[in-house]
């Protein structure tokens, strides 16, 4: 029976895996935030010890900041778009200018954020493509007439800057 682990390729597969490197995604987001000119940076996450993907993003995030001599001011980040959406609505309610006074970014690029009053900066974790590739791996393992596929497929997450990070 083929086994395809999805979403996270940081580690060794049982059989096959398809996803993104969450450490690399964290580094890319930190680099984008620094490029936007922010220096006082916080990280909000829920149940970080239990969410190994968010923990890996945090590790990559702080590593990239550290390379530029920047430390986390406070630790809590919007590890997902749902938390980021709530943060955006709260900041707007408090009259805090986003991205003027504060930048904000989430993760996953879920469709729900399309309905926000501002486009939330986020990272597309390639969820749709991951599902497609996982199905192709399973099909290739079950049908010898199909071309065999690699047992590790890494996709590249993409930053969508939206309206909540300054653009320099």
């Amino acid at each position: 029976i083929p086994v395809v682990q999805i979403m996270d390729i940081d580690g060794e597969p049982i059989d096959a895996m398809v996803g993104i490197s969450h450490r690399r995604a964290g580094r890319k987001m930190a680099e984008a935030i620094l490029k936007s000119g922010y220096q006082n940076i916080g990280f909000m996450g829920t149940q970080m010890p239990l969410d190994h993907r968010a923990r890996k993003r945090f590790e990559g995030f702080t590593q990239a900041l550290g390379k530029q001599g920047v430390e986390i001011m406070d630790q809590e980040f919007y590890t997902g778009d749902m938390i980021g959406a709530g943060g955006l609505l709260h900041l707007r309610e408090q009259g805090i200018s986003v991205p003027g006074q504060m930048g904000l970014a989430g993760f996953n690029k879920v469709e729900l954020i399309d309905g926000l009053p501002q486009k939330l900066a986020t990272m597309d974790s390639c969820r749709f493509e991951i599902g497609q590739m996982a199905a192709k791996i399973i099909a290739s393992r079950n049908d010898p007439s199909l071309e065999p596929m690699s047992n590790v497929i890494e996709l590249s997450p993409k930053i969508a800057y939206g309206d909540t990070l300054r653009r320099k």
Side-chain angles (χ1 to χ4, degrees):
I1 297 174
V3 174
V4 181
Q5 295 162 255
I6 60 168
M7 295 301 294
D8 185 6
I9 58 95
D10 294 320
E12 292 297 317
I14 294 169
D15 179 4
M17 63 173 54
V18 59
I20 65 169
S21 165
H22 285 266
R23 284 188 184 93
R24 186 170 298 117
R27 286 193 301 270
K28 285 178 79 169
M29 184 57 80
E31 290 163 1
I33 289 170
L34 289 170
K35 184 178 174 184
S36 294
Y38 297 100
Q39 292 293 309
N40 298 321
I41 299 169
F43 189 97
M44 292 190 87
T46 58
Q47 301 177 1
M48 289 287 284
L50 302 176
D51 186 342
H52 65 279
R53 292 184 306 241
R55 180 184 42 77
K56 289 175 184 179
R57 288 193 301 272
F58 179 73
E59 290 167 1
F61 189 80
T62 55
Q63 180 186 53
L65 293 178
K67 283 186 178 179
Q68 298 300 316
V70 176
E71 290 190 24
I72 295 277
M73 297 292 294
D74 201 356
Q75 184 176 327
E76 289 297 324
F77 193 59
Y78 300 116
T79 58
D81 290 337
M82 301 303 288
I83 299 169
L88 175 61
L89 295 175
H90 175 75
L91 292 170
R92 289 174 59 93
E93 184 177 282
Q94 299 302 309
I96 297 171
S97 171
V98 178
Q101 292 174 275
M102 183 177 290
L104 187 63
F107 185 82
N108 265 337
K109 198 173 183 204
V110 297
E111 293 78 18
L112 175 78
I113 65 172
D114 293 339
L116 293 172
Q118 284 176 269
K119 287 187 184 272
L120 180 67
T122 187
M123 182 163 298
D124 183 348
S125 60
C126 308
R127 294 173 304 129
F128 183 78
E129 294 88 348
I130 288 169
Q132 285 181 317
M133 295 306 295
K136 287 179 181 179
I137 291 170
I138 290 170
S140 74
R141 299 276 170 87
N142 287 325
D143 185 345
S145 70
L146 296 174
E147 186 173 325
M149 296 185 67
S150 171
N151 68 328
V152 177
I153 298 175
E154 180 178 357
L155 301 173
S156 296
K158 300 158 204 69
I159 293 177
Y161 282 89
D163 302 323
T164 60
L165 286 178
R166 289 189 297 246
R167 300 297 296 270
K168 286 207 167 198

